[in-house]
Structure formats: C-alpha cells, structure tokens
Amino acid sequence: MSITREKLVDAYTTMVKIRTFEEHAAQLFAEGKIPGFVHLYVGEEAVAAGVCATLRDSDYITSTHRGHGHLISKGGDVKRMMAELFGKRTGYCKGKGGSMHIADMTLGIMGANGIVGGGPPLAAGAGFACKYLGRDDVAVCFFGDGAANQGTTHEAMNLASCWKLPVVFVNENNRYGISCSVDRATCVTDIADKAAAFDMPAVSVDGNDLMAVYEAASEAVERARRGAGPTLIECKTYRQRGHFEGDPAGYRSPEEVAEWKAKDPIPRLEKKLLEMGVLAEDRIREIRAGVLAEVEEAVRFAEESPLPDPSEVTEDVYA
Amino acid sequence: MATMTFADALNDAHRIEMRRDPNVFVVGEDVGIYGGIFGVTKGLLEEFGEMRVRDTPITESAFVGCAVGAAAAGLRPVAELMFVDFIGVCLDQIYNQGAKMRYMFGGKARIPLVLRASCGAGIGAAAQHSQCLEAWFMHVPGLKVVMPSTPADAKGLLISAIRDDNPVVFLEHKLLYATEGEVPEGECTVPLGKADVKRKGEDVTVVATAAMVPKALAAAETLAAEGIGVEVVDPRTLLPLDEETILASVKKTHRLVVVHEAVKFAGPGGEIAAMVAEKAFDYLDAPILRVAAPFSPVPFSPPLEQAFIPSEERIAQAVREVVGA
C-alpha cells in the first residue's frame, strides 16, 4: 500500500514534532527543570510516525520507557505530555506517572511502560478485547531489541498467534539495551526471525525509512483487522542519544554514531518529499515553525502549571 | 439457601456473573475442557462457549497480562492462576502493570480484573504448590485481596470482586474446596472490605483467615468447655482490611490472637497486630500473640507438613496463654 501525499505530510510533521519535543526535553532536563530521568526517541521517529499513520483513534498501542514518539504519533497532546514531564498537576497523569507512564486511554494509548517487556501481554489483552467485542480495531505493541529477549514478549507473541489476535508487534531495534549491543544479546541477525517460532508473518525493514515502515505496518494492520492474526515488524533504527539523558554512551564508537546520524530519518524524508514535489522549501519552513510554536507553547504551559498538592499522594489508587 | 461445596459456590458465582454481564470472561490453564484443576469452572465452557471460557497454553505472564490488557480495554476478566505459587512467573503483570495503571495514569484507567488462585498446604503438594502468599499482595497499593473461609462467603465475595472496578486477588484455600455450607441462591453479594464475626465471645478475639477459620471455631468450642469465650473474626478481605470490626472486638475482649497459615515473619498477622497496637493499645490486657507457620518452605512428608500447618491445639494454647489460663 503506498502512502497518500496528505499522510506523508502528516507523518513528516509528526516526526518533526517528536524531534522538536525531544530536543526541548533534553534542554529542559539539562537545566534541571525536569525531575527523574527521560529516555529520548531522537533518531527513531520514522518508526512511530510510520506505524501510527496506519492507525485510528480507537486502535490501541502499548509503549515503552522511550515512549514520547509513540504518544505524539498516536495523537497525544504535547502540552499535557510536557506538563507530565515537569511533574505538574495539569500533566496527563496529574504528575503521578512522569515520562515513563504517560497514557491517554481516550486515544487507545495504554501507557508508556517502565518495565522492559511489560507491554506485550497488555497488547495481547487489548487485541483480545477487540476480537471479543467484535470490533475491527487492532493493538500495536512497540517494543525494543532489549524486550525482544524477554519471556513476556515471546509468551505474548505465542498467545497472539495461537488465538489469531489483531496485534501488530513492532520491534524497534535501536541496537542497544542500555550498553548491551544487540549483537551480544541475541544470536540472530534479524529479530524478525524470532517470529518463526510462532508461525507468525514477519518482516525486517529499514526503520529510518518512513515509507518502508508505513508499507509494512499497513499490510500488518490490514491483516489484523480482517482477523488473520498478528505480525512482527522489525524496524532497524538507531538511538542517537544515550539510553537516558546524562548517559555518556561510551559503549559505542563515534564512527558508529556518525554513520547512523548520516541516516537520520528526518532529513531523509525531507529530501524525498522535496524530490517528489510533495513539499516545497517554504512549506517545510512553515511546518517547522508551526511545530516549534506548539512545543514552545507546551513548555510555557508546563512551566506555568501548578505542582500537585501533597495531599493528592493517595488519590487515584483505587477506582 | 442450598447446601453446596465451596468449589460449587464459586462455580455458581461465575455463572451468575457471566449470565448477567456479557463482558465477563474466564481465562487460564485448564479452565475450559478440564473445568479447572479444582473443578471451579466446570461446565462453564459448555454454557458460555470458547470465546468466554479461554483455555490457555502454560503461559502465566501472557494470560495474566492479557487479562490486565483486556480489563483496561473494557472487559471484566476472571483469570485463574492454578496455584498462587505460580505468581512468581507472572508477578510483573499484576503488581507493576494491573495494580499501578490507574495511579500511574492519574486515575484515568479502570482495571476490573479478578485473579483467582488456589493456596495453602495440606495435600502433600510440597513447597511450590502449597504456599499462602497473601502478605505479598497486601503490600501492593492498587490491589484488593480476598480470602474467604465459607461457601457462602466465597460466592458472595466472588460476585463482588467481579463487579469491582479494581484488580482483586482472590485466594482460595484448597482444603476448603470440598467443604459444604449453606449458600444463598441467586445473586448475593458480600461486600469487599467487611469482616464477619463467625462466633461471638467475651474473653479473647481470634482473627483467623481461610482454612484457619474452621480450626479457630473448633478451638473455640473446646475452650468454651473450659470457660473461655472466644470471638472469632474472619476479615474475609485482607486489603482493604476491616479495621473497625477487629478493633470493636478487641475493645470488648481486651485480648488478641491472630491466626494464619502464611509464615509468621512479615505475615499478614504482623500488620493486624501492629494496627491493633497502634489504635487500641490501651484496651489490651495481654500481649498480642500470632499463631502461624514456621519460617520454612512448605515441606512434603505428612508429619512435616502437619508440623508446619497451625493446628487447632496451637490455637487453643495461644488463647489459654493470653487469658493466663
């Protein structure tokens, strides 16, 4: 399935928005305005934007500790996201979750997740609910190369395959689980090969190529919607920054980082869109300015919002 | 009222809720064709079909997590963990995911899930199929923990648990499955978080859970013949704990013995004793005693297993000790 021009522009805008959000988060974290820690999605934007371009609001996603890109791509509000990073009461989780636990159940965002491999069983459950209720919605499970070796991931893929659940497993192979390179973490070259154990269709794509991600996701989502079961898509990409902000990332060579930065998904798509005549330079400037204004407004909103009151600590434990 | 076993009362609760609410489904290992390893889900597959009674592979993380995800997406799963001892292979899905989603998401998720599990020693199932782990779950904000002792409570509490919008861990002592009792017919609920005074008495309060309740009642009968009046309080729900009923009893009797089958150290009895010490210290006429399992894994050989499980005689002896008899 080839992507429409309108969707290309939307996906490009989403990718720029993710990058802009993350760059602001990095700066604000460095300034000490964001407590805790943040894991940024810089360099992986084509994965979330490409996959979520195939989804609708009623579809579900489960995310990871590196979740900002997924949330923005699924329609998350950057104001409430930024406020949550700041621990403010106006944040998505009223300051109770932070970067690693942002969710928006009204958009099917079942939460970022602090546990590597925590999301796949939940995605199977959301997919099961869709099937049970006779809805043609799907659940997309984003997980990293680290989570690809967790038992929960394999159990969830097996169950989804046995039960023909409408789930799309999207592996973001960014090559590192903190310092452990994927070459030291698994013996297969392509994580997609792991799907063979579940007789699940699988494909490995260039995760820095928006169109490749979109095409693979379209096919997988369509398969899930018509009841033909789950798919594994491996998106080969790269985490341009450290595992978390402040990680000096001494475990990888400057040459390797430079090589991947040259494959940055955003300039790549931009070049393609210019060549295709989908976007002109002035329109790109407009998009970038619009996104910058939106993120700056989100930062202002977060900075000006009130902190939670200490009395709220025990609220929302039970329904 | 009808006389039925604890297992049949639980089965009845499933049927009532599944007939009432099409979003209630059962998931777990051997819950369908087999009818549950202890027979609790027998006949459900025939009545409700494969979509609603889901046999799973041996994959606790996947099916418990699947239940959490399905609950978040609007269903009301009842997941059966064959033995609570298996919680170790799937704990993350219940304590880090299911229990915390609502709070982490700022109150914007609802996880109406019941995780049923058998627990307890007494059938020679040894260290990995016999534990009482209720204290583990009591330590997790966001969970509710239920532990019934009679068929009627089992039915009423399970119906309430299924209707509750929070994740509920529902612990069934395996020695109770075959016990019989009078059970109200049709829809009947027992509220979560409400203790029950199983026997009235004036001299000593015995707080007991699950299979320790019948033992405490038998001990009370023996002690009555010795002139000691024992009040037996069954919390039924350990989280939230009905502090009011326990405190009211202690304020009347001035003496407390807590009985459970979980190991004594850091067990549920420690929490109950601490709560009473904090809130009713001045009413106490004797130190609080706990009767519980020793700090060992559950042993296999019958004499060892019997030495592990708190006995009626140990309960009676503790009561005599607090009254100075």
Side-chain angles (χ1 to χ4, degrees):
Chain A
M1 256 160 285
S2 63
I3 186 165
T4 63
R5 293 165 82 89
E6 190 189 348
K7 280 203 170 183
L8 272 174
V9 175
D10 285 350
Y12 171 75
T13 308
T14 298
M15 288 166 67
V16 172
K17 198 197 282 193
I18 297 168
R19 180 68 57 93
T20 309
F21 184 93
E22 298 294 60
E23 284 171 346
H24 279 74
Q27 181 60 33
L28 293 159
F29 182 82
E31 289 169 17
K33 289 184 175 167
I34 293 174
F37 42 104
V38 286
H39 308 86
L40 303 184
Y41 200 66
V42 175
E44 307 180 36
E45 291 89 346
V47 181
V51 171
C52 291
T54 69
L55 302 180
R56 49 200 190 201
D57 284 357
S58 53
D59 291 323
Y60 294 97
I61 65 165
T62 61
S63 175
T64 69
H65 57 287
R66 199 174 307 287
H68 303 165
H70 310 136
L71 309 176
I72 290 172
S73 299
K74 191 67 171 55
D77 169 14
V78 289
K79 279 167 75 172
R80 281 189 286 166
M81 283 178 64
M82 192 60 86
E84 188 60 32
L85 264 58
F86 274 68
K88 296 296 182 76
R89 184 195 264 156
T90 54
Y92 258 119
C93 316
K94 303 186 210 166
K96 291 191 167 111
S99 166
M100 267 192 294
H101 303 296
I102 300 176
D104 186 340
M105 300 303 282
T106 65
L107 291 170
I109 301 170
M110 294 178 65
N113 207 312
I115 304 298
V116 173
L122 303 176
F128 176 73
C130 295
K131 186 179 173 115
Y132 185 98
L133 295 168
R135 295 160 44 180
D136 68 347
D137 294 320
V138 305
V140 168
C141 172
F142 290 103
F143 68 108
D145 48 292
N149 300 313
Q150 284 279 44
T152 45
T153 305
H154 290 259
E155 289 192 32
M157 285 201 276
N158 182 59
L159 194 70
S161 201
C162 283
W163 290 1
K164 288 268 177 286
L165 299 180
V167 182
V168 179
F169 294 93
V170 177
N171 180 252
E172 296 176 325
N173 181 355
N174 69 18
R175 300 202 52 79
Y176 287 89
I178 308 188
S179 68
C180 188
S181 77
V182 71
D183 307 323
R184 291 196 293 145
T186 184
C187 295
V188 297
T189 306
D190 294 325
I191 287 172
D193 288 353
K194 294 176 191 271
F198 315 110
D199 195 26
M200 188 191 295
V203 60
S204 190
V205 301
D206 179 348
N208 284 14
D209 178 349
L210 183 275
M211 295 192 201
V213 173
Y214 179 85
E215 276 178 34
S218 297
E219 190 183 327
V221 167
E222 190 273 328
R223 180 182 295 125
R225 285 206 205 288
R226 70 178 146 85
T231 305
L232 170 60
I233 302 171
E234 177 191 10
C235 299
K236 289 185 189 288
T237 183
Y238 197 71
R239 149 162 71 71
Q240 289 188 9
R241 302 186 70 90
H243 167 65
F244 48 78
E245 281 309 286
D247 171 12
Y251 42 80
R252 38 187 213 185
S253 68
E255 293 77 23
E256 181 185 296
V257 176
E259 186 193 319
W260 277 95
K261 279 191 175 168
K263 293 191 271 191
D264 190 311
I266 295 179
R268 260 176 87 178
L269 180 62
E270 209 171 274
K271 186 161 171 277
K272 211 167 206 173
L273 296 184
L274 285 165
E275 281 168 12
M276 289 167 71
V278 173
L279 286 179
E281 293 281 4
D282 57 342
R283 182 74 186 110
I284 286 175
R285 276 193 298 275
E286 257 175 54
I287 289 172
R288 289 185 170 275
V291 163
L292 183 63
E294 189 182 351
V295 172
E296 282 177 346
E297 171 56 24
V299 174
R300 213 164 18 249
F301 174 75
E303 285 182 327
E304 288 167 5
S305 288
L307 286 161
D309 188 86
S311 66
E312 294 164 32
V313 66
T314 54
E315 285 176 10
D316 300 318
V317 180
Y318 291 97
Chain B
M1 290 286 203
T3 301
M4 60 172 81
T5 65
F6 191 92
D8 287 343
L10 289 167
N11 183 271
D12 198 27
H14 280 89
R15 284 179 198 274
I16 287 167
E17 288 309 286
M18 291 180 82
R19 285 173 191 154
R20 198 181 70 90
D21 182 350
N23 285 346
V24 176
F25 74 99
V26 172
V27 61
E29 290 152 9
D30 305 296
V31 295
I33 294 170
Y34 199 96
I37 206 76
F38 293 102
V40 171
T41 55
K42 66 174 183 279
L44 298 184
L45 176 65
E46 290 73 7
E47 181 173 348
F48 300 103
E50 279 190 358
M51 182 57 89
R52 300 185 67 193
V53 184
R54 309 289 301 181
D55 270 329
T56 72
I58 299 171
T59 185
E60 285 88 3
S61 273
F63 82 73
V64 172
C66 178
V68 173
L75 302 185
R76 287 191 177 270
V78 181
E80 179 178 300
L81 189 61
M82 199 181 282
F83 294 88
V84 75
D85 314 69
F86 302 169
I87 197 68
V89 295
C90 58
L91 189 57
D92 185 67
Q93 291 297 320
I94 190 74
Y95 99 109
N96 259 334
Q97 311 296 338
K100 296 186 173 73
M101 279 166 89
R102 182 177 181 80
Y103 188 82
M104 293 189 301
F105 301 172
K108 294 189 200 78
R110 218 174 43 127
I111 313 293
L113 160 75
V114 181
L115 178 64
R116 295 181 35 250
S118 73
C119 68
I123 63 164
Q128 297 171 344
H129 290 76
S130 301
Q131 297 166 86
C132 280
L133 300 176
E134 58 274 19
W136 290 21
F137 301 109
M138 288 169 69
H139 208 63
V140 182
L143 294 181
K144 294 188 177 183
V145 182
V146 177
M147 214 174 179
S149 69
T150 68
D153 286 349
K155 177 178 173 180
L157 286 163
L158 183 55
I159 291 175
S160 295
I162 292 171
R163 294 181 187 181
D164 199 274
D165 281 340
N166 298 285
V168 179
V169 176
F170 196 94
L171 299 167
E172 303 160 5
H173 196 291
K174 53 181 81 72
L175 286 189
L176 295 174
Y177 282 128
T179 59
E180 290 192 331
E182 292 288 301
V183 176
E185 286 171 63
E187 282 193 35
C188 61
T189 58
V190 171
L192 303 186
K194 190 83 193 87
D196 188 38
V197 177
K198 297 292 187 199
R199 178 188 174 109
K200 287 203 172 298
E202 301 301 318
D203 302 320
V204 180
T205 297
V206 172
V207 173
T209 54
M212 292 298 112
V213 174
K215 288 193 179 186
L217 290 169
E221 200 60 36
T222 305
L223 292 160
E226 299 171 21
I228 302 169
V230 175
E231 180 143 305
V232 178
V233 179
D234 176 2
R236 302 193 291 195
T237 304
L238 287 164
L239 178 63
L241 185 67
D242 179 358
E243 298 183 356
E244 202 179 319
T245 300
I246 295 169
L247 288 169
S249 179
V250 170
K251 286 176 182 176
K252 180 178 77 173
T253 64
H254 309 291
R255 291 173 181 85
L256 174 64
V257 173
V258 188
V259 188
H260 56 68
E261 193 184 300
V263 297
K264 185 171 170 181
F265 184 81
E271 187 54 42
I272 293 168
M275 183 274 293
V276 170
E278 280 174 0
K279 297 187 178 176
F281 184 77
D282 290 342
Y283 290 86
L284 289 169
D285 287 345
I288 299 166
L289 290 187
R290 286 176 291 162
V291 179
F295 200 63
S296 79
V298 183
F300 166 64
S301 179
L304 294 175
E305 188 180 35
Q306 286 312 309
F308 176 90
I309 301 168
S311 66
E312 186 187 319
E313 182 46 34
R314 280 180 58 206
I315 298 167
Q317 204 44 49
V319 170
R320 290 184 194 107
E321 199 176 325
V322 294
V323 296

